[in-house]
Amino acid sequence: MRDPFADEILDLYKEKNWKEIVEKYHDHPERSKVLWVFPTEDNFQFLKECLDSLACDKIMSVGCGTGLLEWMISEATGIPVSGVEVDSAWWNSKYAPPTFIPLLLTSSKLDKDIINVLQNSTNTALTFCYFNNRPAFEDYINFFSGTCLIIIGPGDSKGVHTDPKPFNDVSEDWLLYKWQEVRSSSDFIAVYCKK
Ligand SMILES: C[S@@+](CC[C@H](N)C(=O)[O-])C[C@H]1O[C@@H](n2cnc3c(N)ncnc32)[C@H](O)[C@@H]1O
């Protein structure tokens, strides 16, 4: 179904104008229709530097929603980003929002293809943005063979629930490498590496 807000974003997407998307819509009241967190150019640069120093050359984003964040990361950093979602019936329905990357769709019990990708992900950063499903998070992490994990989400002061949270919410296998706030939004990008 057409949505004027989503259409404005789509027009900028077609022009590859991710800079205007983050500048213009980061505090728009309807922003969460397409994405929960709109990083700054500095945030994208921070991600690029972290991944370069951790020898990661791709990102797999779980629960990517529309894939707008994933598309903007790949445009801003040159790093290829894939995105995984559940509920193919919803994403293929006429009510679904637009998508900005091709979605890898799985059922809630992880599909073999996705498990296979996770098991062969040496130089991949596994990313969760505003994810909210602890059992699924554990499942993905258990199959993941890589050593870089990124959690994007609200800090405690924001009063918004996600699972996992960006800080103090993963097993001791993971060491917090670096983090950065997204503007002064109380949303954070937390980068972990495997001990
Ligand atoms: C709050 S939304 C965040 C979407 C997007 N990352 C963003 O920041 O706008 C959480 C997403 O996780 C997805 N999700 C939940 N369980 C999942 C699973 N087992 N595998 C993949 N995605 C899942 C949901 O369908 C939903 O789109």
Side-chain angles (χ1 to χ4, degrees):
M1 295 240 274
R2 307 298 301 212
D3 175 313
F5 171 73
D7 282 350
E8 281 178 40
I9 304 256
L10 265 176
D11 286 342
L12 290 168
Y13 164 77
K14 285 175 193 155
E15 294 165 17
K16 292 186 175 281
N17 196 347
W18 60 270
K19 289 187 185 178
E20 192 168 335
I21 295 179
V22 290
E23 279 314 310
K24 198 167 165 188
Y25 296 102
H26 67 86
D27 55 1
H28 192 285
E30 294 181 74
R31 64 188 178 281
S32 61
K33 281 182 178 175
V34 290
L35 174 61
W36 282 84
V37 178
F38 287 68
T40 61
E41 290 188 40
D42 279 355
N43 294 142
F44 289 124
Q45 188 58 31
F46 164 78
L47 271 175
K48 167 87 176 133
E49 284 167 13
C50 286
L51 294 203
D52 283 351
S53 51
L54 294 171
C56 283
D57 57 10
K58 45 191 172 313
I59 292 175
M60 183 180 197
S61 175
V62 177
C64 64
T66 64
L68 179 59
L69 174 66
E70 292 67 18
W71 173 74
M72 292 196 293
I73 293 174
S74 63
E75 288 293 311
T77 67
I79 297 169
V81 190
S82 59
V84 185
E85 259 299 334
V86 277
D87 196 355
S88 51
W90 161 247
W91 287 106
N92 289 319
S93 81
K94 62 180 180 181
Y95 303 105
T99 51
F100 299 88
I101 58 169
L103 303 182
L104 300 170
L105 291 165
T106 177
S107 52
S108 49
K109 183 177 178 304
L110 272 181
D111 286 7
K112 275 196 184 131
D113 290 353
I114 304 288
I115 292 176
N116 196 29
V117 174
L118 289 164
Q119 287 174 330
N120 293 285
S121 292
T122 323
N123 298 319
T124 304
L126 193 66
T127 299
F128 297 82
C129 178
Y130 265 74
F131 200 65
N132 213 345
N133 185 342
R134 174 61 59 160
F137 170 73
E138 301 291 353
D139 233 15
Y140 282 96
I141 289 287
N142 285 339
F143 286 112
F144 179 52
S145 61
T147 55
C148 179
L149 167 67
I150 300 174
I151 301 176
I152 305 173
D156 287 340
S157 67
K158 190 147 183 165
V160 178
H161 178 80
T162 61
D163 197 346
K165 297 186 284 189
F167 301 114
N168 305 312
D169 208 18
V170 292
S171 79
E172 288 179 357
D173 297 343
W174 297 95
L175 184 71
L176 183 59
Y177 172 66
K178 282 187 182 169
W179 58 271
Q180 191 174 69
E181 188 172 11
V182 176
R183 295 190 179 76
S184 302
S185 62
S186 296
D187 285 321
F188 294 88
I189 300 170
V191 179
Y192 292 82
C193 52
K194 202 154 198 179
K195 281 183 185 166

